[in-house]
Amino acid sequence: MRTGLKNSRGGGPSISSDAKFPAMATKRRSRAKFFLFLLSLVAFGAFAPVFAPLPSLSSSSLSSRRHKVNARKFEIADDMFWKDGKPFQIIGGDLHYFRILPEYWEDRLLRAKAFGLNTIQTYVPWNLHEPSQGELDFEGIGDIVSFLKLCQKLDLQVMLRAGPYICAEWDLGGFPPWLLAIEPALRLRSSDPAFLDLVESWWGVLLPLIAPLLYGNGGPILMVQIENEFGSYGNDKVYLHHLVTLARGHLGDEIILYTTDGGSREALEKGTIRGDAVFSAVDFTTGDDPWPIFELQKEFNALGKSPPLSAEFYTGWLTHWGEEIAKTDADFTAAALEKILSRNGSAVLYMAHGGTNFGFYSGANTGANEHDYKPDLTSYDYDAPIKESGDVDNAKFKALHRVIKKYHAASLPSVPSDNKKSGYGRIRLQKSSILFDTLNIEGAINVAESQNPISMESAGQMFGLMLYVSEFRARNNDSILSIPEVHDRAQVFISCSSKSDAEQPTYIGTIERWSNKPLGLPHIDCPSNTSLFILVENMGRVNYGQFMFDRKGILSSVYLSGKALHGWKMLSVPFQNLNGKQKVDPIIQLAYSEINTSSAHKKLKESFENSQKEPALYAGYFRVDETSQLTDTYISFRGWGKGIAFVNEFNIGRYWPSFGPQCNLYVPAPILRYGENVVVILELDSPNPDLVVTSVDQPDFTCGSRSSKVHQL
């Protein structure tokens, strides 16, 4: 990704909706001291190994290659890709294993193959695989080796985007958030030695894992990308050269390494490594004339080593909360693709299949400043030809398929029909507990104490929510509460500490990153201190641009009528993400215990005590008869406020229908089971008065209003 905005980054489609995408800043100023330090190191040869001559893409001649037709080799010569001695046109598509349940990997890959793709491009998100420092996870949705082997089984080649930065509308661009807790602060995406040490450790695990699957070793991986669109961010050649050296050390000299940058001279100057050691690919706005850009691409590759490749051909676009769903015209997109393929150019469709940002992994963008914050939807449908649920019966799939099949000598497999989807009907929920009451589960809640608030990352809470608690002496009149830096959304509550009854904290208001305004705290009759509760939601870290160092939580002092408030406790709110050690979610388990799912006859209690905004857990269930087929479904949250949803303890993502446009969350069939299926939601704002969600058979992106922009200032 993709903030391939015109006049900003090299890519991006022609958007047919009214949504506007402000240009983002594309570079960070280097610090003068660091620059002088770097020059001195280079002058004394400290980085000589980094700039040592790098192996070329290929040293074999064209004539020798043609004589070795049976040799298993992928290479570049004569401005073409060659696979086993024969010209090879890449007709690829991005399809990310971490956005699809493993049970559906084969289904989606078969659809991509029937679509006409011969190559799959995928990122590798570091944060998925190392959720805590030293804790590695390559199981389940993170089983990249199984995914790559499945690609090979289906005769699909792979272009692997190994990072360490990926962008991808994925939290923190794929970096693990524990990097943000390290002091002194790391300089991400740079030659900062402390940062590079951690990259070396990560790649020291990842690259040996995938090395047996390189094409030359009998696997499907044709090329490995280093970094991603670095020319739109920085100009640190020491960093890029170090990544190349690391990759070569683990993967050898034969594999083609590549970079991808926007199709402008500035981006290519900054993001590429000249010569023939690394192949430079480009991306650009869908609809732009590709061939002048491919001519520019040649300037950044060695002579004869520049096959025209659009490594991100945009089939659609991303959508933020509060915007209309982005859509692009099918025929326009297909015509733009044909301009590339008809002259033997190669293209990788971004996206071929978007998938879903399950858990807490959706990212965010910013505009002119870090307060102009734009979090991404849970759905990553992207208006791609293969829809979020795998559907292919749509105009864009058909239009692109008509073009792609012209460039296949052999006939393509038949296109599978869409998977069946079911609506299981209304699901009655009960209020099982108020969130504040769950934060005393013995052994489940981590508590940090500090004079001043600390970030979520510093407290060890990487995703979800954290509760900040302090006290103050009540004044005789109202007080003004201000939090200059809060990432991203803070709900404020107060209560009287000395009252013996179990009084719930009273909701006062919400302070948001994108429209940060002080709150008036009403005077309450309290003989001792007043307790202040601030529940902060991490809505997704920035994944692109100069404001990527996006710590979460309260990042400044909290002021009460101009005076800093001291003495804080930070309580983690432990909800399960897609990975990590915690396989049992104590808060969700508590919600489960409130409904006896072992009894089909248990009547769910109804709670109508919803007059004030309070974060609460709601639970219910629906049944799937054993005579029926388990099928995909969607859960509609129309009428609800904002929150997080779980089905059978699987985190299906964030919902926010009041802002939209996404109304329904996708629930793949493998999450479901015969009998009772339990739905638990954490509603942060206002529940549906009927306490009902609905299982339906289709997506819906018509919620919210065009005026409810999250990032309006």
Side-chain angles (χ1 to χ4, degrees):
M1 195 212 84
R2 311 37 357 215
T3 36
L5 308 170
K6 246 195 188 311
N7 303 321
S8 169
R9 299 179 63 177
S14 175
I15 304 294
S16 61
S17 72
D18 293 334
K20 295 182 180 178
F21 301 90
M24 300 180 186
T26 58
K27 63 180 179 179
R28 176 186 295 173
R29 287 197 296 268
S30 301
R31 295 178 182 174
K33 288 183 179 179
F34 176 72
F35 179 69
L36 293 173
F37 173 67
L38 180 59
L39 285 178
S40 65
L41 288 174
V42 173
F44 286 97
F47 286 93
V50 174
F51 288 112
L54 295 171
S56 65
L57 292 173
S58 173
S59 58
S60 61
S61 67
L62 179 60
S63 60
S64 66
R65 178 175 53 261
R66 285 173 174 164
H67 283 108
K68 296 180 180 179
V69 173
N70 295 323
R72 185 174 177 86
K73 192 169 187 178
F74 185 76
E75 55 192 328
I76 295 174
D78 299 341
D79 288 336
M80 293 189 293
F81 294 112
W82 296 79
K83 179 172 168 283
D84 302 337
K86 299 179 181 179
F88 184 74
Q89 184 180 31
I90 294 173
I91 305 177
D94 264 79
L95 184 153
H96 302 155
Y97 62 95
F98 47 90
R99 285 182 159 125
I100 309 164
L101 291 190
E103 295 89 339
Y104 271 164
W105 284 346
E106 185 162 5
D107 175 85
R108 302 305 193 257
L109 290 171
L110 286 171
R111 293 169 190 275
K113 189 175 178 68
F115 187 39
L117 304 187
N118 57 30
T119 305
I120 297 298
Q121 184 169 249
T122 185
Y123 290 116
V124 182
W126 182 1
N127 54 11
L128 180 75
H129 296 292
E130 195 175 3
S132 300
Q133 188 169 8
E135 176 200 337
L136 297 168
D137 190 341
F138 291 96
E139 299 178 354
I141 204 165
D143 189 356
I144 184 174
V145 170
S146 292
F147 177 79
L148 294 172
K149 288 180 176 179
L150 184 56
C151 290
Q152 183 172 24
K153 170 189 166 185
L154 300 177
D155 194 27
L156 289 164
Q157 310 309 316
V158 173
M159 295 166 61
L160 193 71
R161 314 178 86 173
Y165 166 77
I166 65 170
C167 188
E169 288 75 64
W170 193 254
D171 189 89
L172 199 58
F175 287 130
W178 50 263
L179 294 178
L180 305 183
I182 294 173
E183 295 291 350
L186 299 174
R187 295 190 304 277
L188 304 179
R189 305 184 74 186
S190 81
S191 52
D192 176 356
F195 171 65
L196 290 182
D197 284 347
L198 293 166
V199 173
E200 287 184 24
S201 296
W202 161 233
W203 271 15
V205 174
L206 173 66
L207 299 187
L209 191 68
I210 60 102
L213 295 166
L214 301 181
Y215 191 77
N217 295 334
I221 301 174
L222 300 178
M223 303 194 291
V224 175
Q225 180 178 302
I226 61 166
E227 247 283 342
N228 188 48
E229 298 175 318
F230 186 70
S232 298
Y233 177 80
N235 192 23
D236 189 340
K237 297 295 186 181
V238 174
Y239 169 52
L240 293 179
H241 276 269
H242 193 81
L243 294 181
V244 173
T245 302
L246 284 177
R248 290 288 180 216
H250 289 292
L251 303 178
D253 295 343
E254 292 300 313
I255 185 67
I256 295 174
L257 302 179
Y258 71 108
T259 56
T260 298
D261 285 285
S264 70
R265 183 172 298 278
E266 181 184 8
L268 289 164
E269 289 280 4
K270 293 177 179 178
T272 61
I273 295 176
R274 287 183 180 269
D276 62 354
V278 180
F279 168 62
S280 300
V282 292
D283 57 41
F284 45 85
T285 302
T286 302
D288 281 355
D289 185 349
W291 291 98
I293 299 171
F294 291 145
E295 284 299 313
L296 177 64
Q297 177 192 1
K298 286 184 178 182
E299 296 183 29
F300 296 87
N301 285 308
L303 185 65
K305 299 292 181 69
S306 192
L309 172 63
S310 172
E312 291 188 4
F313 175 87
Y314 301 109
T315 62
W317 202 244
L318 63 103
T319 305
H320 305 114
W321 291 108
E323 296 174 348
E324 282 191 71
I325 193 69
K327 288 189 174 294
T328 58
D329 182 77
D331 292 333
F332 177 87
T333 305
L337 179 62
E338 183 143 35
K339 287 180 182 178
I340 297 173
L341 300 185
S342 63
R343 293 176 57 182
N344 204 35
S346 293
V348 181
L349 277 59
Y350 195 100
M351 297 289 296
H353 168 59
T356 309
N357 296 317
F358 294 118
F360 297 115
Y361 279 115
S362 56
N365 290 305
T366 55
N369 57 67
E370 65 177 341
H371 300 291
D372 189 7
Y373 174 74
K374 311 170 189 180
D376 297 322
L377 301 184
T378 296
S379 172
Y380 200 62
D381 180 84
Y382 210 82
D383 195 30
I386 304 174
K387 309 308 289 179
E388 182 178 14
S389 62
D391 285 1
V392 294
D393 186 11
N394 62 77
K396 187 165 288 181
F397 184 96
K398 293 172 183 176
L400 289 167
H401 183 249
R402 282 193 297 270
V403 170
I404 291 171
K405 68 182 180 181
K406 295 179 185 179
Y407 302 95
H408 280 268
S411 60
L412 296 177
S414 59
V415 176
S417 58
D418 291 348
N419 291 325
K420 182 181 177 183
K421 289 167 281 295
S422 300
Y424 296 104
R426 288 161 58 89
I427 305 167
R428 300 296 300 273
L429 305 181
Q430 69 179 96
K431 180 190 261 185
S432 62
S433 56
I434 295 170
L435 181 64
F436 297 131
D437 293 340
T438 69
L439 299 183
N440 58 4
I441 304 173
E442 187 174 351
I445 308 300
N446 294 322
V447 180
E449 298 190 22
S450 176
Q451 273 294 96
N452 296 304
I454 62 175
S455 70
M456 287 186 178
E457 294 83 5
S458 297
Q461 179 71 17
M462 300 302 165
F463 294 97
L465 304 103
M466 192 158 75
L467 182 65
Y468 292 77
V469 182
S470 189
E471 292 183 339
F472 63 93
R473 174 66 65 177
R475 299 158 56 103
N476 292 328
N477 52 12
D478 293 353
S479 302
I480 301 298
L481 179 78
S482 62
I483 313 174
E485 292 290 333
V486 59
H487 290 191
D488 299 304
R489 188 172 186 265
Q491 294 172 277
V492 179
F493 304 80
I494 58 173
S495 70
C496 184
S497 306
S498 62
K499 289 188 177 180
S500 58
D501 59 348
E503 179 184 273
Q504 288 295 331
T506 300
Y507 172 74
I508 302 301
T510 299
I511 297 176
E512 297 159 325
R513 174 176 179 170
W514 53 92
S515 59
N516 192 318
K517 297 176 182 178
L519 284 178
L521 301 186
H523 172 72
I524 59 174
D525 185 16
C526 188
S528 62
N529 286 341
T530 299
S531 293
L532 174 66
F533 301 88
I534 305 175
L535 182 66
V536 180
E537 181 190 4
N538 166 4
M539 293 173 57
R541 292 180 182 84
V542 173
N543 55 259
Y544 171 78
Q546 61 178 322
F547 304 115
M548 241 187 63
F549 198 91
D550 189 18
R551 286 175 173 157
K552 296 301 185 182
I554 296 177
L555 308 180
S556 65
S557 292
V558 174
Y559 295 92
L560 199 62
S561 297
K563 184 177 180 180
L565 191 60
H566 299 293
W568 289 89
K569 290 183 179 180
M570 279 65 60
L571 286 74
S572 65
V573 183
F575 285 113
Q576 180 67 18
N577 207 357
L578 284 185
N579 52 3
K581 290 180 180 178
Q582 179 180 300
K583 299 302 180 185
V584 176
D585 190 320
I587 295 180
I588 298 301
Q589 286 290 313
L590 180 65
Y592 273 36
S593 69
E594 297 296 321
I595 57 170
N596 182 8
T597 60
S598 64
S599 169
H601 301 291
K602 179 176 175 63
K603 183 177 179 180
L604 300 179
K605 294 189 303 177
E606 297 184 26
S607 173
F608 297 101
E609 300 170 3
N610 301 308
S611 57
Q612 76 161 35
K613 288 188 176 182
E614 58 185 7
L617 290 154
Y618 298 82
Y621 65 87
F622 64 95
R623 295 187 59 84
V624 180
D625 192 276
E626 293 188 6
T627 61
S628 304
Q629 178 186 358
L630 286 173
T631 66
D632 292 354
T633 189
Y634 297 83
I635 293 183
S636 171
F637 291 90
R638 278 190 179 274
W640 291 79
K642 186 182 195 303
I644 308 159
F646 302 80
V647 176
N648 294 333
E649 298 189 70
F650 184 87
N651 187 335
I652 62 172
R654 303 177 176 99
Y655 66 88
W656 199 4
S658 59
F659 268 74
Q662 185 172 1
C663 313
N664 304 350
L665 294 186
Y666 174 53
V667 184
I671 294 174
L672 304 180
R673 59 196 179 208
Y674 290 111
E676 295 171 351
N677 292 268
V678 181
V679 177
V680 176
I681 69 173
L682 170 65
E683 170 58 51
L684 294 170
D685 287 347
S686 302
N688 182 315
D690 296 329
L691 298 187
V692 169
V693 295
T694 307
S695 168
V696 297
D697 62 0
Q698 58 189 347
D700 185 355
F701 294 98
T702 63
C703 279
S705 67
R706 294 171 62 178
S707 61
S708 56
K709 303 294 184 184
V710 178
H711 45 88
Q712 276 189 339
L713 296 179

